[in-house]
Amino acid sequence: MIGSAVPRKEDAALLTGRGTFVDDIQRPGLLHMVYVQSTEAHALITGIDTSAATALPGVVGVWTAEDFAELPARPSVPGLERHYLAGEKVHYVGEPVAVVVAADRYTAADAARAVEVTYEPLPVMATLEAALAPDAVPIFAPLPGNLALEQPVTPDDVAAELDAAPRRLRARLVNQRVAGAPMEPYGVLADWVGNGVTVWATVQAPHRVRAEIAQVFGLARHLIRVVAPDVGGAFGVKSSFMPELFLAPELSRRLGRPVKFVETRREHMTHTYHGRDQVQEVEVGFDENGAILALDVTITVNIGGVPDPVGIGLPTLTSYMLGGCYRIPKIAARYRSVLTNTTPTASYRGAGRPEASFLIERVVDLVALELGKDPAEVRKVNLIGPEQMPYQTPFEGIVYDEADYPAALELLLGELDYDALRAEQERRRADPGARLLGVGLSTFVEMAGFGPTPLFEQFGYLGGWESANLRLQPDGSVIVLVGTAPHGQGHQTAMAQIVADELGVPFEAVSVFYGDTAVVQEGIGTMGSRGMPVAGNAVRQAAVEVADQARRIAAHLLEADPDDLVRVGDGFQVKGVPDAAVPLAAVVERSFKPHLLPEGTRLGLESTAYYEPKNLSYPSGAHGCVVEIERDTGRVHVVRYVCVDDCGTVINPMNARGQVHGGVAQGIAQALFEKVSFDAEGRPLAASLEEYMLPGMLDLPRYETHHIETRSSFNPLGVKGIGEAGATAAPQAVVNAVVDALAHLGVRDVEMPCTPER
Ligand code: MCN
Ligand code: MO
C-alpha cells in the first residue's frame, strides 16, 4: 500500500458536509464569548465602562484583566509569561481587552461593541525602524527594550573569508508578513462539569493544550479532555498560545455552563498569529565561476506587540537552513527579534525555513546576474552532490540526509524545456507587442520531521517523540491511535497504508483515530512536517511489534520456529510448506486464549510505541516558474509551475502531490498577492478578505508535479516530510521569474508581493 494513491479515508465525511468542526458542536445551555478588541496599537487603558453592555438583554457578563488576576499566567519562557487580556496597556490593534459572554453570538458581539474603553495614547511603533529608534518607548513591560532577543547563531564571523573572496555583493531582502488564513478561523468550546473540563479546540497540539490547562488550573491531566475535532486548516497558526484556551474553561467553571468562542474573519486577521516578517541583510563572497565562498546574514524579525516564544526563536531555524542545497564553506548568522505594535507573529507553513530558502535562492540569482551567468549554471557550480550525503552543514546538528540535488535540477530543466524558454525570452524582449517572459528557479531544501529533542529544546513541544497505539480486534481489523492532530493532511489514509504493509492486513481493515486526549493518551501534535517522519515511524514501529507478537503465536499454532515463518496473503506460512499456514484471524482468536498459549504469553495483539528520530529529514527538490508580465500594466501571470520534489519514500503520491499544490499556492500568493500591512498608527490595512489578497483559482497555474524518491537513512520508513515543502520552494521561484523577466531593464530585485504597482 505504501506508494499507492488510494483515495483518502477522510473525504467521504468532509466532502459531504459531515465533518464536525468546533462550531458544529452544541451543548445544552451553551453560552457565547466574544472579545472586546483594542482599537489602539499602543495606549494605556484609562477606563473600561461595561454598563451599557451588561444592560443588554441576554448578556451574562463582561470580564476584564483584573477579573482573571487569580489565574496563573500561562507558563512560557521565563520572563515572557503571557497575559490573557490586556491590563494596564494595549500592545496592538486587536489585542483582547475584555471578554463578553451572552446567550447568543450576536448579542455577545453587540455587547462587545457597547463596552467603552478609554485610552491614553502612547507613541506607536508599527515598524522595525520605529521600534528600534533611539527614542522608542519599550512596548512589552517584562522586556527592557524592543529588542526582545539578539543572538548569534554561529560563534564567529566570516569577515576574513569575505575579504579573501574575488567578488562580493550585498543585498537587503524582505520577507513580508503574511496570514495563514485557514478556512476555519480559531475556535474553542469549553465545558467544565464537576471537577473536570472538556475543551474542543481548533488546535494542532491537543496534548500540549491539556498540559497547559493542567498547569494553569492545577488540575490532574486525567480530569481534562482536549479534543481537536475536524480542523479546517491551520498552517502553523493554530499551534501557539491563545488566551481563549484558558478563558473559555475559566468562564465555564464560573458560570456552570459551556462557553463557545469562534472568531470572525476580521477577528482572526488581527488576533491570531501572522507569519514571516523578516528583513535580511546579506553579504556574500564568491568567485568568477559563481562558487559561493562565504555568507554573512543578519536577520531582523518583527515579532509583534506581545512576544510568542516560538515567534521569537524562529530565526534560529532560518539560520540553520541558510546554506540551502549548496556547499558553502563558511556561514555566519545572527538575528534580532523585535517587538512592534502589531499582531504577534509565530509559525506559518515552513516556520522560519521558507525565509532561508528565499534568501539563498535570491542570492544565487543575484550572483548569476552580477557575473552575467545563467542561474541554472551557478546552481550547478554550488549544488551538494549525492556522493556527499549525509552532508554536514556549517551548523552543528544540521546534517542533510540522502538526496540528489543535481538530478532534481536536471529533471526540472528538462521538463521546463529550459533552453527553448531562454530563446523565447529573447524573442519576446525584441517584440514590443509581446508580454515579457521570465523563468525562475528554486533548488530548495527544507528541514522536516521536528523531532530530536536536543535540537528543539528552544521550541519546547514543537519537537520530541510521537506515540502510536495499535490493536488488532478479534475480527482481524485494526484500530490505530496516533498522537498527531492532522487538519487536512490525510493521516487516516497515510497511517493506514503504513499499517497495511507492516502488518499484512487490508487497507480497508485499518481505522486511525487522533486528536482526542481521552482516546489517544499521549502525543505532541502536527507541525514541522513531522506526520510521516515521526508519527509515521511510531505507527510503523507499533505495527512491527504487533506483527512480531502475531508471528510468535502463529509459530506456536504451526509448531514451527518463528524465524521459519513467512507472510502469505492474510496470514503466516512455514517457509516452503504451503499446507502449514494459518490466517491472521486464527492468530488473533488464539491471542485471547491463555490456556492455549505458552506460559507467560501476553494476551491480545497490541502495542504502544514511542518514536523519536535521531535526526531530522530534509525534503528537497527543484521548482521552476514561468511568468509573463504585461508591459503596460505590470501585471504578472504565472503561466507554468513545475515541481520536482523528493520527500523520500512516498507514502501516498496523491496526498503528497496535494501537499505540494497547497504549499505552492501559498508560496505563489506570498510572491504576488498577500501582505499583512499596518499604517503608521498601527492600524491594520488588511483585516478582511476584501483587502487581504488571497489568490483565487484563476490566479493559480496548473501544477506540473514530479517526484524523485531518495530514501532517507535517518528513519526506518525512509520518509521526509512534505507538508511545508511547497511553501518553502515557491516564493523565490516566482520572484526569480519576475526579476528574470525584467533583468534586461536593469531590475535586480522586486519586493514581495510583486504587485503591478511595484
Ligand atoms: N506524505 C507522503 N509521503 C511522504 C510525506 C508525506 O505521502 N514521504 C503525505 C501523507 O499523506 C501525509 C501528508 O503528506 O499525510 C503530510 O505529511 P507530512 O509531510 O509528514 O506533514 P504533517 O502531516 O506533519 O503535516 C504538517 C504540515 C505543516 S507543518 C503545515 S504548516 C501544513 C501542512 O502540513 N498545514 C496544512 N499541510 C497542510 N495541509 C492542509 N490541508 N491544511 C493545513 O493546515
Ligand atoms: Mo507547520
Side-chain angles (χ1 to χ4, degrees), residues 415-443:
E415 292 295 334
L416 280 170
D417 204 352
Y418 191 71
D419 295 339
L421 279 172
R422 287 280 169 228
E424 173 67 8
Q425 179 176 48
E426 285 310 315
R427 198 191 64 71
R428 300 269 196 107
R429 280 180 178 167
D431 174 1
R435 289 176 177 177
L436 292 168
L437 191 75
V439 192
L441 302 176
S442 165
T443 36

PDB file of all heavy atoms in Angstrom, residues 415-443:
ATOM      1  N   GLU A 415      12.026  19.248 -17.974  1.00  0.00           N
ATOM      2  CA  GLU A 415      10.566  19.409 -18.005  1.00  0.00           C
ATOM      3  C   GLU A 415      10.171  20.813 -18.439  1.00  0.00           C
ATOM      4  O   GLU A 415       9.166  21.023 -19.101  1.00  0.00           O
ATOM      5  CB  GLU A 415       9.953  19.090 -16.633  1.00  0.00           C
ATOM      6  CG  GLU A 415      10.050  17.626 -16.231  1.00  0.00           C
ATOM      7  CD  GLU A 415       9.227  16.726 -17.142  1.00  0.00           C
ATOM      8  OE1 GLU A 415       8.244  17.196 -17.740  1.00  0.00           O
ATOM      9  OE2 GLU A 415       9.596  15.533 -17.258  1.00  0.00           O
ATOM     10  N   LEU A 416      10.971  21.803 -18.022  1.00  0.00           N
ATOM     11  CA  LEU A 416      10.670  23.179 -18.407  1.00  0.00           C
ATOM     12  C   LEU A 416      10.971  23.425 -19.882  1.00  0.00           C
ATOM     13  O   LEU A 416      10.438  24.341 -20.486  1.00  0.00           O
ATOM     14  CB  LEU A 416      11.534  24.154 -17.587  1.00  0.00           C
ATOM     15  CG  LEU A 416      11.106  24.494 -16.157  1.00  0.00           C
ATOM     16  CD1 LEU A 416      12.226  25.269 -15.464  1.00  0.00           C
ATOM     17  CD2 LEU A 416       9.816  25.300 -16.143  1.00  0.00           C
ATOM     18  N   ASP A 417      11.846  22.593 -20.452  1.00  0.00           N
ATOM     19  CA  ASP A 417      12.430  22.855 -21.772  1.00  0.00           C
ATOM     20  C   ASP A 417      13.150  24.209 -21.693  1.00  0.00           C
ATOM     21  O   ASP A 417      12.864  25.166 -22.413  1.00  0.00           O
ATOM     22  CB  ASP A 417      11.344  22.862 -22.854  1.00  0.00           C
ATOM     23  CG  ASP A 417      11.937  22.536 -24.223  1.00  0.00           C
ATOM     24  OD1 ASP A 417      13.185  22.465 -24.315  1.00  0.00           O
ATOM     25  OD2 ASP A 417      11.161  22.387 -25.182  1.00  0.00           O
ATOM     26  N   TYR A 418      14.091  24.225 -20.786  1.00  0.00           N
ATOM     27  CA  TYR A 418      14.724  25.471 -20.331  1.00  0.00           C
ATOM     28  C   TYR A 418      15.378  26.263 -21.464  1.00  0.00           C
ATOM     29  O   TYR A 418      15.168  27.469 -21.596  1.00  0.00           O
ATOM     30  CB  TYR A 418      15.751  25.107 -19.258  1.00  0.00           C
ATOM     31  CG  TYR A 418      16.323  26.284 -18.500  1.00  0.00           C
ATOM     32  CD1 TYR A 418      15.545  26.992 -17.592  1.00  0.00           C
ATOM     33  CD2 TYR A 418      17.644  26.673 -18.697  1.00  0.00           C
ATOM     34  CE1 TYR A 418      16.080  28.066 -16.885  1.00  0.00           C
ATOM     35  CE2 TYR A 418      18.183  27.742 -17.985  1.00  0.00           C
ATOM     36  CZ  TYR A 418      17.400  28.433 -17.082  1.00  0.00           C
ATOM     37  OH  TYR A 418      17.932  29.485 -16.391  1.00  0.00           O
ATOM     38  N   ASP A 419      16.156  25.572 -22.304  1.00  0.00           N
ATOM     39  CA  ASP A 419      16.861  26.297 -23.358  1.00  0.00           C
ATOM     40  C   ASP A 419      15.880  26.947 -24.325  1.00  0.00           C
ATOM     41  O   ASP A 419      16.090  28.079 -24.782  1.00  0.00           O
ATOM     42  CB  ASP A 419      17.819  25.353 -24.096  1.00  0.00           C
ATOM     43  CG  ASP A 419      18.934  24.866 -23.169  1.00  0.00           C
ATOM     44  OD1 ASP A 419      19.180  25.559 -22.150  1.00  0.00           O
ATOM     45  OD2 ASP A 419      19.515  23.797 -23.433  1.00  0.00           O
ATOM     46  N   ALA A 420      14.793  26.238 -24.621  1.00  0.00           N
ATOM     47  CA  ALA A 420      13.779  26.799 -25.517  1.00  0.00           C
ATOM     48  C   ALA A 420      13.126  28.032 -24.884  1.00  0.00           C
ATOM     49  O   ALA A 420      12.831  29.025 -25.576  1.00  0.00           O
ATOM     50  CB  ALA A 420      12.721  25.744 -25.826  1.00  0.00           C
ATOM     51  N   LEU A 421      12.926  27.965 -23.563  1.00  0.00           N
ATOM     52  CA  LEU A 421      12.337  29.124 -22.868  1.00  0.00           C
ATOM     53  C   LEU A 421      13.249  30.336 -22.969  1.00  0.00           C
ATOM     54  O   LEU A 421      12.798  31.465 -23.154  1.00  0.00           O
ATOM     55  CB  LEU A 421      12.092  28.793 -21.395  1.00  0.00           C
ATOM     56  CG  LEU A 421      10.836  28.003 -21.059  1.00  0.00           C
ATOM     57  CD1 LEU A 421      10.848  27.597 -19.582  1.00  0.00           C
ATOM     58  CD2 LEU A 421       9.580  28.827 -21.357  1.00  0.00           C
ATOM     59  N   ARG A 422      14.553  30.099 -22.822  1.00  0.00           N
ATOM     60  CA  ARG A 422      15.518  31.198 -22.912  1.00  0.00           C
ATOM     61  C   ARG A 422      15.477  31.843 -24.301  1.00  0.00           C
ATOM     62  O   ARG A 422      15.539  33.055 -24.442  1.00  0.00           O
ATOM     63  CB  ARG A 422      16.933  30.693 -22.600  1.00  0.00           C
ATOM     64  CG  ARG A 422      17.152  30.391 -21.129  1.00  0.00           C
ATOM     65  CD  ARG A 422      17.433  31.661 -20.334  1.00  0.00           C
ATOM     66  NE  ARG A 422      17.387  31.424 -18.904  1.00  0.00           N
ATOM     67  CZ  ARG A 422      16.724  32.184 -18.031  1.00  0.00           C
ATOM     68  NH1 ARG A 422      16.026  33.216 -18.450  1.00  0.00           N
ATOM     69  NH2 ARG A 422      16.753  31.913 -16.757  1.00  0.00           N
ATOM     70  N   ALA A 423      15.366  31.001 -25.333  1.00  0.00           N
ATOM     71  CA  ALA A 423      15.298  31.525 -26.703  1.00  0.00           C
ATOM     72  C   ALA A 423      14.022  32.343 -26.889  1.00  0.00           C
ATOM     73  O   ALA A 423      14.030  33.443 -27.460  1.00  0.00           O
ATOM     74  CB  ALA A 423      15.359  30.371 -27.702  1.00  0.00           C
ATOM     75  N   GLU A 424      12.926  31.814 -26.353  1.00  0.00           N
ATOM     76  CA  GLU A 424      11.638  32.509 -26.453  1.00  0.00           C
ATOM     77  C   GLU A 424      11.695  33.855 -25.717  1.00  0.00           C
ATOM     78  O   GLU A 424      11.132  34.859 -26.160  1.00  0.00           O
ATOM     79  CB  GLU A 424      10.535  31.609 -25.881  1.00  0.00           C
ATOM     80  CG  GLU A 424       9.162  32.227 -25.744  1.00  0.00           C
ATOM     81  CD  GLU A 424       8.480  32.549 -27.086  1.00  0.00           C
ATOM     82  OE1 GLU A 424       9.022  32.154 -28.132  1.00  0.00           O
ATOM     83  OE2 GLU A 424       7.427  33.216 -27.059  1.00  0.00           O
ATOM     84  N   GLN A 425      12.396  33.848 -24.587  1.00  0.00           N
ATOM     85  CA  GLN A 425      12.538  35.071 -23.809  1.00  0.00           C
ATOM     86  C   GLN A 425      13.203  36.178 -24.648  1.00  0.00           C
ATOM     87  O   GLN A 425      12.755  37.326 -24.662  1.00  0.00           O
ATOM     88  CB  GLN A 425      13.376  34.790 -22.562  1.00  0.00           C
ATOM     89  CG  GLN A 425      13.617  35.996 -21.682  1.00  0.00           C
ATOM     90  CD  GLN A 425      14.374  35.620 -20.423  1.00  0.00           C
ATOM     91  OE1 GLN A 425      15.387  34.912 -20.481  1.00  0.00           O
ATOM     92  NE2 GLN A 425      13.890  36.071 -19.285  1.00  0.00           N
ATOM     93  N   GLU A 426      14.259  35.807 -25.365  1.00  0.00           N
ATOM     94  CA  GLU A 426      14.961  36.776 -26.212  1.00  0.00           C
ATOM     95  C   GLU A 426      14.028  37.321 -27.293  1.00  0.00           C
ATOM     96  O   GLU A 426      14.001  38.520 -27.575  1.00  0.00           O
ATOM     97  CB  GLU A 426      16.191  36.128 -26.867  1.00  0.00           C
ATOM     98  CG  GLU A 426      17.367  35.939 -25.905  1.00  0.00           C
ATOM     99  CD  GLU A 426      17.703  37.215 -25.121  1.00  0.00           C
ATOM    100  OE1 GLU A 426      17.749  38.315 -25.738  1.00  0.00           O
ATOM    101  OE2 GLU A 426      17.874  37.137 -23.886  1.00  0.00           O
ATOM    102  N   ARG A 427      13.285  36.425 -27.905  1.00  0.00           N
ATOM    103  CA  ARG A 427      12.362  36.825 -28.957  1.00  0.00           C
ATOM    104  C   ARG A 427      11.335  37.831 -28.416  1.00  0.00           C
ATOM    105  O   ARG A 427      11.064  38.857 -29.028  1.00  0.00           O
ATOM    106  CB  ARG A 427      11.645  35.574 -29.500  1.00  0.00           C
ATOM    107  CG  ARG A 427      10.990  35.759 -30.865  1.00  0.00           C
ATOM    108  CD  ARG A 427      10.085  34.596 -31.237  1.00  0.00           C
ATOM    109  NE  ARG A 427       8.931  34.430 -30.373  1.00  0.00           N
ATOM    110  CZ  ARG A 427       7.864  35.257 -30.331  1.00  0.00           C
ATOM    111  NH1 ARG A 427       7.825  36.303 -31.131  1.00  0.00           N
ATOM    112  NH2 ARG A 427       6.871  35.039 -29.502  1.00  0.00           N
ATOM    113  N   ARG A 428      10.806  37.535 -27.207  1.00  0.00           N
ATOM    114  CA  ARG A 428       9.799  38.426 -26.629  1.00  0.00           C
ATOM    115  C   ARG A 428      10.376  39.802 -26.295  1.00  0.00           C
ATOM    116  O   ARG A 428       9.692  40.816 -26.405  1.00  0.00           O
ATOM    117  CB  ARG A 428       9.236  37.825 -25.344  1.00  0.00           C
ATOM    118  CG  ARG A 428       8.570  36.483 -25.517  1.00  0.00           C
ATOM    119  CD  ARG A 428       7.096  36.639 -25.800  1.00  0.00           C
ATOM    120  NE  ARG A 428       6.451  35.353 -25.589  1.00  0.00           N
ATOM    121  CZ  ARG A 428       5.677  35.076 -24.545  1.00  0.00           C
ATOM    122  NH1 ARG A 428       5.429  35.973 -23.635  1.00  0.00           N
ATOM    123  NH2 ARG A 428       5.133  33.883 -24.435  1.00  0.00           N
ATOM    124  N   ARG A 429      11.605  39.794 -25.818  1.00  0.00           N
ATOM    125  CA  ARG A 429      12.214  41.074 -25.444  1.00  0.00           C
ATOM    126  C   ARG A 429      12.301  42.005 -26.655  1.00  0.00           C
ATOM    127  O   ARG A 429      12.158  43.218 -26.519  1.00  0.00           O
ATOM    128  CB  ARG A 429      13.615  40.845 -24.859  1.00  0.00           C
ATOM    129  CG  ARG A 429      13.540  40.400 -23.405  1.00  0.00           C
ATOM    130  CD  ARG A 429      14.894  40.171 -22.779  1.00  0.00           C
ATOM    131  NE  ARG A 429      14.713  39.788 -21.383  1.00  0.00           N
ATOM    132  CZ  ARG A 429      15.671  39.285 -20.615  1.00  0.00           C
ATOM    133  NH1 ARG A 429      16.895  39.092 -21.095  1.00  0.00           N
ATOM    134  NH2 ARG A 429      15.410  38.974 -19.356  1.00  0.00           N
ATOM    135  N   ALA A 430      12.533  41.398 -27.803  1.00  0.00           N
ATOM    136  CA  ALA A 430      12.702  42.193 -29.019  1.00  0.00           C
ATOM    137  C   ALA A 430      11.359  42.618 -29.604  1.00  0.00           C
ATOM    138  O   ALA A 430      11.317  43.472 -30.499  1.00  0.00           O
ATOM    139  CB  ALA A 430      13.494  41.384 -30.040  1.00  0.00           C
ATOM    140  N   ASP A 431      10.269  42.041 -29.111  1.00  0.00           N
ATOM    141  CA  ASP A 431       8.951  42.322 -29.700  1.00  0.00           C
ATOM    142  C   ASP A 431       8.139  43.180 -28.728  1.00  0.00           C
ATOM    143  O   ASP A 431       7.628  42.684 -27.728  1.00  0.00           O
ATOM    144  CB  ASP A 431       8.243  40.980 -29.968  1.00  0.00           C
ATOM    145  CG  ASP A 431       6.812  41.171 -30.440  1.00  0.00           C
ATOM    146  OD1 ASP A 431       6.365  42.337 -30.579  1.00  0.00           O
ATOM    147  OD2 ASP A 431       6.127  40.149 -30.656  1.00  0.00           O
ATOM    148  N   PRO A 432       8.015  44.479 -29.026  1.00  0.00           N
ATOM    149  CA  PRO A 432       7.338  45.386 -28.074  1.00  0.00           C
ATOM    150  C   PRO A 432       5.874  45.032 -27.844  1.00  0.00           C
ATOM    151  O   PRO A 432       5.287  45.444 -26.849  1.00  0.00           O
ATOM    152  CB  PRO A 432       7.475  46.757 -28.720  1.00  0.00           C
ATOM    153  CG  PRO A 432       8.145  46.587 -30.031  1.00  0.00           C
ATOM    154  CD  PRO A 432       8.446  45.146 -30.260  1.00  0.00           C
ATOM    155  N   GLY A 433       5.295  44.233 -28.728  1.00  0.00           N
ATOM    156  CA  GLY A 433       3.887  43.868 -28.553  1.00  0.00           C
ATOM    157  C   GLY A 433       3.705  42.642 -27.674  1.00  0.00           C
ATOM    158  O   GLY A 433       2.582  42.310 -27.288  1.00  0.00           O
ATOM    159  N   ALA A 434       4.795  41.969 -27.345  1.00  0.00           N
ATOM    160  CA  ALA A 434       4.682  40.708 -26.600  1.00  0.00           C
ATOM    161  C   ALA A 434       4.871  40.946 -25.108  1.00  0.00           C
ATOM    162  O   ALA A 434       5.564  41.868 -24.691  1.00  0.00           O
ATOM    163  CB  ALA A 434       5.730  39.715 -27.096  1.00  0.00           C
ATOM    164  N   ARG A 435       4.223  40.084 -24.328  1.00  0.00           N
ATOM    165  CA  ARG A 435       4.485  40.133 -22.886  1.00  0.00           C
ATOM    166  C   ARG A 435       5.910  39.666 -22.616  1.00  0.00           C
ATOM    167  O   ARG A 435       6.414  38.783 -23.313  1.00  0.00           O
ATOM    168  CB  ARG A 435       3.530  39.191 -22.161  1.00  0.00           C
ATOM    169  CG  ARG A 435       2.104  39.677 -22.141  1.00  0.00           C
ATOM    170  CD  ARG A 435       1.251  38.610 -21.490  1.00  0.00           C
ATOM    171  NE  ARG A 435      -0.124  39.031 -21.363  1.00  0.00           N
ATOM    172  CZ  ARG A 435      -1.086  38.252 -20.867  1.00  0.00           C
ATOM    173  NH1 ARG A 435      -0.804  37.026 -20.464  1.00  0.00           N
ATOM    174  NH2 ARG A 435      -2.316  38.707 -20.768  1.00  0.00           N
ATOM    175  N   LEU A 436       6.515  40.223 -21.573  1.00  0.00           N
ATOM    176  CA  LEU A 436       7.855  39.787 -21.192  1.00  0.00           C
ATOM    177  C   LEU A 436       7.766  38.403 -20.544  1.00  0.00           C
ATOM    178  O   LEU A 436       6.788  38.094 -19.852  1.00  0.00           O
ATOM    179  CB  LEU A 436       8.480  40.779 -20.214  1.00  0.00           C
ATOM    180  CG  LEU A 436       8.807  42.135 -20.837  1.00  0.00           C
ATOM    181  CD1 LEU A 436       9.152  43.155 -19.754  1.00  0.00           C
ATOM    182  CD2 LEU A 436       9.963  41.994 -21.829  1.00  0.00           C
ATOM    183  N   LEU A 437       8.779  37.613 -20.781  1.00  0.00           N
ATOM    184  CA  LEU A 437       8.792  36.253 -20.257  1.00  0.00           C
ATOM    185  C   LEU A 437       9.916  36.120 -19.230  1.00  0.00           C
ATOM    186  O   LEU A 437      11.024  36.615 -19.456  1.00  0.00           O
ATOM    187  CB  LEU A 437       9.027  35.274 -21.418  1.00  0.00           C
ATOM    188  CG  LEU A 437       8.819  33.798 -21.125  1.00  0.00           C
ATOM    189  CD1 LEU A 437       7.338  33.468 -21.036  1.00  0.00           C
ATOM    190  CD2 LEU A 437       9.468  32.945 -22.227  1.00  0.00           C
ATOM    191  N   GLY A 438       9.628  35.468 -18.118  1.00  0.00           N
ATOM    192  CA  GLY A 438      10.669  35.249 -17.107  1.00  0.00           C
ATOM    193  C   GLY A 438      10.641  33.813 -16.625  1.00  0.00           C
ATOM    194  O   GLY A 438       9.572  33.210 -16.508  1.00  0.00           O
ATOM    195  N   VAL A 439      11.811  33.254 -16.355  1.00  0.00           N
ATOM    196  CA  VAL A 439      11.907  31.894 -15.811  1.00  0.00           C
ATOM    197  C   VAL A 439      12.614  31.985 -14.466  1.00  0.00           C
ATOM    198  O   VAL A 439      13.685  32.586 -14.367  1.00  0.00           O
ATOM    199  CB  VAL A 439      12.743  30.969 -16.728  1.00  0.00           C
ATOM    200  CG1 VAL A 439      12.565  29.515 -16.297  1.00  0.00           C
ATOM    201  CG2 VAL A 439      12.372  31.167 -18.179  1.00  0.00           C
ATOM    202  N   GLY A 440      12.035  31.396 -13.454  1.00  0.00           N
ATOM    203  CA  GLY A 440      12.645  31.428 -12.128  1.00  0.00           C
ATOM    204  C   GLY A 440      12.888  30.022 -11.611  1.00  0.00           C
ATOM    205  O   GLY A 440      12.038  29.141 -11.767  1.00  0.00           O
ATOM    206  N   LEU A 441      14.051  29.818 -11.026  1.00  0.00           N
ATOM    207  CA  LEU A 441      14.395  28.505 -10.479  1.00  0.00           C
ATOM    208  C   LEU A 441      14.494  28.588  -8.958  1.00  0.00           C
ATOM    209  O   LEU A 441      14.850  29.623  -8.399  1.00  0.00           O
ATOM    210  CB  LEU A 441      15.743  28.035 -11.035  1.00  0.00           C
ATOM    211  CG  LEU A 441      15.865  27.929 -12.554  1.00  0.00           C
ATOM    212  CD1 LEU A 441      17.293  27.535 -12.927  1.00  0.00           C
ATOM    213  CD2 LEU A 441      14.863  26.928 -13.114  1.00  0.00           C
ATOM    214  N   SER A 442      14.213  27.486  -8.325  1.00  0.00           N
ATOM    215  CA  SER A 442      14.383  27.387  -6.877  1.00  0.00           C
ATOM    216  C   SER A 442      14.809  25.963  -6.571  1.00  0.00           C
ATOM    217  O   SER A 442      14.007  25.034  -6.665  1.00  0.00           O
ATOM    218  CB  SER A 442      13.054  27.738  -6.189  1.00  0.00           C
ATOM    219  OG  SER A 442      13.062  27.327  -4.848  1.00  0.00           O
ATOM    220  N   THR A 443      16.096  25.778  -6.299  1.00  0.00           N
ATOM    221  CA  THR A 443      16.562  24.460  -5.851  1.00  0.00           C
ATOM    222  C   THR A 443      16.603  24.544  -4.332  1.00  0.00           C
ATOM    223  O   THR A 443      17.417  25.253  -3.774  1.00  0.00           O
ATOM    224  CB  THR A 443      17.953  24.128  -6.432  1.00  0.00           C
ATOM    225  OG1 THR A 443      18.734  25.312  -6.494  1.00  0.00           O
ATOM    226  CG2 THR A 443      17.840  23.561  -7.827  1.00  0.00           C
TER     227      THR A 443
END
